[in-house]
Amino acid sequence: MNDKLFQERIDAEKKIEPKDWMPEDYRKHLIRQISQHAHSEVIGMQPEGNWISRAPSLRAKMILLAKVQDEAGHGLYLYSACETLGISREELVKQLHDGKAKYSSIFNYPTLSWADMGAIGWLVDGAAIVNQVSLQRTSYGPYARGMVKICKEESFHQRQGYEIMAEMAKGTPEQKAMAQDALNRFWWPSIMMFGPQDSDSPRTGNAMKWKIKRQFNDELRQNFIDQTVGQAEVIELIIPDKDLKWNQQREHYDFGEMDWVEFWSVVNGNGPCNKQRLDHHKKAHDEGEWVRNAAKAYAKKQELVAN
Ligand code: FAQ
């Protein structure tokens, strides 16, 4: 196998599997993207975990608990997919702790009220689904198959978030104001999840050539906006973008300019909660060392018994 034959396989829509030959840059690109995706799922548990003990009813608490557990599961599928590329879980976590690997900018914003649980499910999971539905057709087999299962669960997450928003929007004026405030704070950060504009996205070229990404950042962002505007209208909440307007010619919504200075600042570690999120992860990882040691010792013992 060589680069040319590999590209022919990709162009023929054949999946690449762990033991197949692949160019070193393809492997590295996948390790970067899949690990960052895994870190996002796991760090993404923190903003919602903040509200488990303060959920307004037992029903709401059970649903949120299940959702946060799902995110842990998504992290595990993704770390496992990444490990098939020849890198260890320990190394991936180290890259996160050393600041070499990123995670989604969205999780560096605080969750200030119960309505934020609604906004995260509706908008953040909604944006994640748009991206991940596209990634179900990614060229690397284990990543593509992981996406299929993850998307099913994300759909439930999106609906639980939308239900919270819908309930609050038709509640008391104070509840409606909380829902609107959550939408105001989470709208633009959710739009930013799709990454930089295509003209400013250094990874897109290879990602599209190798069919790791199947759609451009701007195309996915537009899809998300187009599908979300109507949902906001149904529950009578206002999207905080004065330039948002249906464009009959394009058959898409036009929308305003994102604050790119804020985007890059958060991506580069200077968002409102970057330090808090990473510190919390490091602490939990250190405190969990005895669990990992016990699991390793148990596996070793089982091996000895078997032999
Ligand atoms: N945040 O050249 P591009 C979820 C970085 S899952 C942080 O466009 P690419 C579920 C990018 O890494 C959410 N960094 O890069 C959930 C690159 O830096 P690098 C996560 C960002 O890879 C819900 C540089 O900027 N989903 O939410 C961001 O082609 C609720 C240049 O960018 C995924 O990870 C950003 N927003 O496109 C969990 C999906 N945008 O690595 C809990 C898979 C860009 O060179 C609760 N990933 N950067 O140092 C992807 O689709 C892509 O990696 C993109 C970025 C679209 C994120």
Side-chain angles (χ1 to χ4, degrees):
M1 186 67 95
N2 57 29
D3 284 314
K4 186 170 169 289
L5 291 175
F6 176 81
Q7 191 60 45
E8 280 172 15
R9 274 195 77 174
I10 296 276
D11 294 341
E13 296 286 338
K14 297 230 170 77
K15 290 276 180 259
I16 307 301
E17 297 297 338
K19 289 190 177 149
D20 294 343
W21 184 89
M22 60 186 83
E24 202 40 37
D25 285 346
Y26 175 83
R27 183 190 303 276
K28 282 192 193 143
H29 194 116
L30 276 173
I31 289 176
R32 178 194 64 87
Q33 178 167 325
I34 302 175
S35 69
Q36 296 191 165
H37 197 164
H39 298 325
S40 303
E41 300 281 357
V42 170
I43 296 272
M45 295 162 74
Q46 291 185 37
E48 288 174 297
N50 185 33
W51 281 88
I52 291 172
S53 58
R54 288 180 281 165
S57 69
L58 184 59
R59 177 181 181 272
K61 191 188 189 97
M62 278 164 37
I63 295 173
L64 184 61
L65 203 54
K67 177 189 190 296
V68 174
Q69 283 177 339
D70 282 352
E71 308 299 359
H74 298 174
L76 293 182
Y77 309 152
L78 287 162
Y79 283 127
S80 298
C82 204
E83 284 172 302
T84 65
L85 291 156
I87 186 162
S88 70
R89 185 89 54 102
E90 286 76 14
E91 180 57 25
L92 295 172
V93 172
K94 188 170 180 308
Q95 288 178 358
L96 172 69
H97 289 176
D98 292 349
K100 286 189 192 137
K102 298 183 168 74
Y103 58 88
S104 182
S105 50
I106 187 71
F107 302 116
N108 292 308
Y109 291 85
T111 45
L112 305 179
S113 81
W114 173 253
D116 291 6
M117 298 305 95
I120 290 183
W122 175 33
L123 303 174
V124 176
D125 286 275
I129 295 170
V130 169
N131 182 299
Q132 292 171 164
V133 162
S134 179
L135 288 174
Q136 287 177 347
R137 293 188 298 118
T138 191
S139 57
Y140 189 56
Y143 193 23
R145 291 188 287 275
M147 283 299 111
V148 173
K149 189 158 193 315
I150 290 177
C151 280
K152 286 188 181 141
E153 293 177 352
E154 301 286 27
S155 306
F156 152 69
H157 299 168
Q158 196 269 353
R159 291 181 83 91
Q160 69 86 35
Y162 191 61
E163 184 194 70
I164 293 173
M165 290 303 257
E167 285 292 316
M168 293 190 78
K170 66 175 190 234
T172 63
E174 289 81 3
Q175 286 169 329
K176 179 157 189 187
M178 277 170 77
Q180 183 62 55
D181 175 58
L183 171 56
N184 291 349
R185 283 181 291 106
F186 275 93
W187 177 254
W188 289 106
S190 301
I191 301 295
M192 290 175 189
M193 286 173 69
F194 295 96
Q197 285 168 308
D198 299 333
S199 54
D200 208 12
S201 163
R203 302 289 191 180
T204 290
N206 277 341
M208 295 300 276
K209 179 178 91 175
W210 289 324
K211 299 190 194 288
I212 291 174
K213 287 206 301 203
R214 304 305 307 252
Q215 285 176 283
F216 291 97
N217 295 357
D218 287 329
E219 197 180 352
L220 293 167
R221 190 176 357 255
Q222 180 77 62
N223 288 352
F224 170 71
I225 291 172
D226 288 348
Q227 79 176 33
T228 310
V229 173
Q231 295 168 5
E233 281 168 5
V234 169
I235 56 175
E236 296 179 10
L237 291 179
I238 295 160
I239 289 179
D241 179 357
K242 60 179 174 35
D243 297 318
L244 192 69
K245 196 167 176 282
W246 179 251
N247 183 324
Q248 192 61 49
Q249 226 170 9
R250 290 200 311 122
E251 298 200 337
H252 288 294
Y253 280 93
D254 289 336
F255 55 94
E257 186 75 18
M258 275 184 287
D259 184 342
W260 292 109
V261 174
E262 176 180 323
F263 170 75
W264 288 114
S265 164
V266 180
V267 167
N268 290 320
N270 302 313
C273 300
N274 290 61
K275 186 174 177 327
Q276 179 187 332
R277 301 289 186 238
L278 217 47
D279 285 352
H280 183 85
H281 193 280
K282 285 179 189 161
K283 184 168 173 283
H285 190 69
D286 289 346
E287 287 173 0
E289 194 177 357
W290 71 271
V291 180
R292 292 191 297 279
N293 288 341
K296 272 188 209 151
Y298 181 74
K300 185 126 192 119
K301 186 176 160 222
Q302 294 300 96
E303 208 180 292
L304 288 175
V305 171
N307 296 325

